[in-house]
Structures are given as structure tokens and as C-alpha cells.
Amino acid sequence: MDYFLTEEQQAIQEIARQIAEEKIVPVREELDEKEEFPRGILETCARSDLFGVSIPEEYGGLGGGVMEMSLAVEELSRACLGVSVSYAASFLGAYPIILYGNEEQKEKFLPLIAAGEILGAFGLTEADAGSDAGGLRTTARKDGDSYVLNGTKQWITNGGEADLYTVIALTDKSKGARGASAFMVEKGTDGFSFGKKEKKMGIRASSTRELVFEECRIPAGNLVSKEGMGFIIAMKTLDNSRPGIAAQGVGVAQGALDVAVNYARERHQFGQPIIGFQAVQHLLANMATGIEAARALTYAAARWIDSGARDISKISAMTKLFGSDVAMEVTTDAVQVLGGYGYMREYPVEKMMRDAKVLQIYEGTNQIQRNVVGAALIKEYAQKT
Ligand SMILES: Cc1cc2nc3c(=O)[nH]c(=O)nc-3n(C[C@H](O)[C@H](O)[C@H](O)COP(=O)(O)OP(=O)(O)OC[C@H]3O[C@@H](n4cnc5c(N)ncnc54)[C@H](O)[C@@H]3O)c2cc1C
């Protein structure tokens, strides 16, 4: 289907597709096996300006938005979700600065992120604060011209590899979520270290690690916006980044469909290619239909967000939950189309299925996305009556 992409958007798609095919596909199995961070591939993305796609032009980016980020993420995800999430998490770290940073913060950090010279990350989750992000315990105490951070963040994508971390911490414990604030913390700051690196089911090329703060002193100027804005900044950041998770879903699902169709054309059983069996065709038809629906919703939502729409939480949640559910279903069906071969590491679909699962979990589980949509419906319909 033609989505009427601009020339610049087509160029972004083309570059990301080329990197995916030439640089990621040949090594994805090895990266997964060795749990190796794709530093070299990210450097290629940087040289191709892909880290600048949704950074404003005045700060060295290409001036695109959620749509451009989603297009790049989709193409990289077609080859490997472990690589694409390492790329996308840098935007997750950058969005708080783009959306709420002051001029000085934008000028200092955004050009470096746009050039891919520094990698970003976003630290909200803690051991006892997952879906209930309001339960966080990390604190930031004001002390003269500094804030002093104490606490541990868990499961942070790009942990240890990123240079700049946007961290949500409590400046006023008595106020719960309303007492949370957002801070930029640079790697190498005294009192900031990295804990356990997780061993995961999928996206094994990505780094998922603890951030440990022990009397970590940062300049007061690293506070993003004002004290008490941390929870709002985190939620708005996720509203902007969730279409990127849907794009990851569309990409990995498309990658799985490509493998499944090609396999079904070549695999012979009962004297004919298995694609001749209607049961197999129906599986493939459902996969293709889900992918196109998820892609259309993702692009529509991304364009709507980029148009400056204000109340984007519902559509963003819908996009994330639909795209990730499609990804899980399609990758599982792709394994089925390949039968026993699909279960073996020799073919990429078992990795795609392992990778896809996390899309239903991170940036808010799909149960939480349904809660967001449900709450929005209650509000909308109450206003109508
Ligand atoms: C690989 C990976 C990378 C990640 N990267 C990052 C990162 O970069 N930065 C970051 O801050 N976090 C990150 N996370 C954390 C992620 O966002 C959380 O795992 C997620 O929000 C869910 O929290 P939880 O795992 O604690 O699950 P829990 O909140 O403990 O949920 C457990 C189960 O209960 C359900 N549940 C909980 N509350 C409700 C409710 N109110 N209604 C219905 N169901 C409910 C959930 O849907 C889930 O099925 C990452 C996680 C993973 C696995």
C-alpha cells in the first residue's frame, strides 16, 4: 500500500533498509548468541544520520518527528529487534529534553544525540515500581547547586552503553508520584555505576542493566523542567515513544512474513509446495492482514502526534498494544508455517518469536495499555452525556 511518504521519509526508509540488509542480517544470529551489543551497527546508523531523524533541525537533527523515527525503527526491526531497540532507546532518553528541556540543555545534548556521538537511555523502572511507576524509591536531594541521587533503576535498555540517562527520582517523598522529577545523568559521574546485566529470552543484542546511584551528585541545572514534573515528563515521553514499539512490531512481523512466504514456496510435502495448501495460505493471509492494519494505525498515529495533537495517550496506547499483539501472533504463526524447521536456530523465525514477546511487556504492558484506553473511553463518554 502507498502511504504517500515524502521524499525525505522514503530516503530514511531506504537507508535503514540498506543497513538492515547489509549490516544486521549477516550478524544478527551471532549477536543474539553472544549477547553482544551492536556498537558498530549503531555507528553506521550515526554516519547515515539516522539518530537525527526526529531531533529538531535547530539542534542538528533532520527535523522529523515520531513518523520518521517509526519508519527507521520498522526497517531495522525487520532484521533484528535487539539492534532496533538499542537505536530506539536513544530517542527515549532524548524525548524528555526535546519536550521539556530548557534552551541550554537542548543546545548541550541534542546535537550530540542527533549525531549519534552519544547514546541515550531512560530510567523509570525499579524493582518495586514497574506498572505502578508511582511506587518508585530513588531519591534526589537538593544540596546547594546540586542534586544528590540515591537508589537503583532496573532493566534499563542501553544501560552501561549509553552516555546520557534521563532518570526519574523523588524530590519530595511525601507527595508520591507528584513528588517525582526528571534528571539528566551523564555516564562517568561519581556515584553512578552499573549493576547486573540481564540474561534475556530475546533482544539479546541489547543491553538491559541496573543503574546504581550512591550519593551521586549532579549539577542542579540537570533537572529537566521543574521539581514535581517527573511523572508527567515520563508519561508524555512514553506517549511519544509508544508508536515506536508498534513500529518494532510491524517490522519484526514483516520480517517473519518474508521468511514464511519464501519458505512456503520452496518447501515441498505431498508432492507440492506447502503454499499450495489453503490452510497455509490462510495463515499467511491473516499474518499479512494484521501487519498492514498495524502499519496503517502506526503511521496514522505518528502523523497525528506530529501534527501537534495534544491528547495522544489513548491513540498511542492503542498503537502499541495492537502492533505488539500482531507481532507476537505473526512471529508465532511464522514458526508454525516452517514447522520443525521454524523451531530450529537454523532459521530466523524462532529468534523473531523470542524477540517479539518483550513488545507486549516494555514501555507499559499491554494490560496497562488497555487500562489507558479504557480510562480514556470512560472519560470521553462521560463528557458526551
Ligand atoms: C527487556 C526490557 C527492557 C526494558 N527497558 C526499560 C527501560 O529502558 N527503561 C525503563 O524505565 N524500564 C524498562 N523496562 C521495564 C518495563 O517497562 C517494565 O517491565 C514494565 O513496565 C512492566 O513492569 P513489571 O515488569 O514490573 O511488571 P508488573 O508491573 O509487576 O506486572 C506484572 C503483571 O501484572 C500485570 N499488571 C500490573 N498492574 C496491573 C494493572 N493495574 N492492571 C492490569 N494488569 C496489571 C501486568 O500487565 C503484568 O502482566 C524494560 C523491561 C524489559 C523486560
Side-chain angles (χ1 to χ4, degrees):
M1 201 154 91
D2 191 342
Y3 287 100
F4 303 105
L5 302 181
T6 64
E7 275 182 25
E8 195 166 36
Q9 288 169 343
Q10 287 177 41
I12 289 168
Q13 202 177 40
E14 266 309 303
I15 291 166
R17 189 171 295 168
Q18 201 179 341
I19 292 173
E21 283 168 8
E22 292 175 9
K23 305 285 181 196
I24 305 178
V25 169
V27 297
R28 64 184 169 191
E29 198 184 329
E30 191 185 341
L31 293 176
D32 177 65
E33 198 74 35
K34 294 185 178 165
E35 303 185 316
E36 189 179 315
F37 190 73
R39 179 65 65 182
I41 296 169
L42 296 182
E43 281 166 9
T44 306
C45 290
R47 280 195 297 277
S48 308
D49 284 340
L50 284 189
F51 280 100
V53 294
S54 57
I55 307 281
E57 275 176 308
E58 59 267 42
Y59 304 109
L62 299 180
V66 174
M67 181 67 184
E68 283 71 16
M69 181 268 291
S70 300
L71 288 170
V73 166
E74 179 186 335
E75 292 307 322
L76 300 177
S77 303
R78 219 165 144 165
C80 177
L81 278 188
V83 175
S84 76
V85 70
S86 309
Y87 164 79
S90 199
F91 290 107
L92 196 56
Y95 275 130
I97 308 171
I98 297 173
L99 297 171
Y100 290 95
N102 61 31
E103 204 47 43
E104 201 183 321
Q105 292 167 342
K106 289 179 179 177
E107 277 173 13
K108 182 172 177 193
F109 292 115
L110 292 183
L112 295 172
I113 291 176
E117 280 177 36
I118 63 171
L119 204 57
F122 178 73
L124 173 64
T125 303
E126 298 179 8
D128 294 321
S131 300
D132 183 10
L136 56 92
R137 293 197 184 145
T138 297
T139 55
R141 183 181 81 242
K142 184 94 193 278
D143 183 20
D145 285 345
S146 312
Y147 281 96
V148 181
L149 272 63
N150 280 289
T152 302
K153 294 288 172 184
Q154 177 171 275
W155 301 338
I156 306 307
T157 303
N158 285 348
E161 302 290 344
D163 308 277
L164 183 66
Y165 298 78
T166 306
V167 175
I168 310 297
L170 293 175
T171 37
D172 186 343
K173 279 196 268 187
S174 68
K175 289 187 182 159
R178 287 194 183 158
S181 306
F183 298 93
M184 292 172 303
V185 187
E186 293 181 75
K187 187 179 183 176
T189 307
D190 281 348
F192 176 26
S193 60
F194 304 104
K196 185 165 70 134
K197 187 177 173 203
E198 302 295 339
K199 293 185 85 64
K200 307 189 292 288
M201 170 195 284
I203 58 165
R204 286 154 55 95
S206 71
S207 170
T208 310
R209 208 159 162 190
E210 276 179 347
L211 314 180
V212 182
F213 302 99
E214 291 163 307
E215 288 293 293
C216 171
R217 188 174 287 274
I218 58 169
N222 284 18
L223 170 72
V224 183
S225 184
K226 296 186 297 198
E227 280 191 19
M229 284 290 288
F231 202 64
I232 291 171
I233 292 173
M235 294 305 121
K236 289 284 172 204
T237 293
L238 294 172
D239 281 349
N240 277 270
S241 68
R242 280 177 181 150
I245 307 294
Q248 284 192 299
V250 174
V252 70
Q254 184 65 56
L257 179 69
D258 295 345
V259 175
V261 173
N262 285 327
Y263 181 87
R265 289 167 66 222
E266 282 168 16
R267 172 72 172 170
H268 283 66
Q269 288 293 278
F270 301 97
Q272 67 171 94
I274 61 165
I275 201 162
F277 298 122
Q278 201 176 46
V280 174
Q281 283 175 30
H282 283 188
L283 259 184
L284 296 171
N286 284 346
M287 290 157 75
T289 306
I291 293 168
E292 212 53 68
R295 181 178 287 124
L297 179 60
T298 304
Y299 291 0
R303 283 173 164 151
W304 193 59
I305 293 170
D306 289 340
S307 75
R310 286 169 62 90
D311 204 359
I312 58 173
S313 298
K314 183 178 86 172
I315 194 72
S316 178
M318 283 176 162
T319 309
K320 190 268 181 188
L321 92 85
F322 190 71
S324 57
D325 280 354
V326 163
M328 197 63 242
E329 212 172 297
V330 169
T331 53
T332 307
D333 285 347
V335 171
Q336 194 67 22
V337 170
L338 270 72
Y341 288 104
Y343 201 72
M344 304 298 160
R345 297 226 161 162
E346 194 180 338
Y347 284 88
V349 286
E350 66 81 31
K351 169 181 171 328
M352 290 167 168
M353 183 179 155
R354 282 189 285 113
D355 286 353
K357 182 61 204 170
V358 78
L359 302 176
Q360 295 178 313
I361 298 172
Y362 62 22
E363 291 208 19
T365 66
N366 282 6
Q367 286 74 32
I368 295 299
Q369 306 309 313
R370 287 181 172 89
N371 289 354
V372 172
V373 176
L377 288 175
I378 291 169
K379 199 169 140 198
E380 276 170 30
Y381 280 77
Q383 281 165 356
K384 281 183 196 162
T385 50

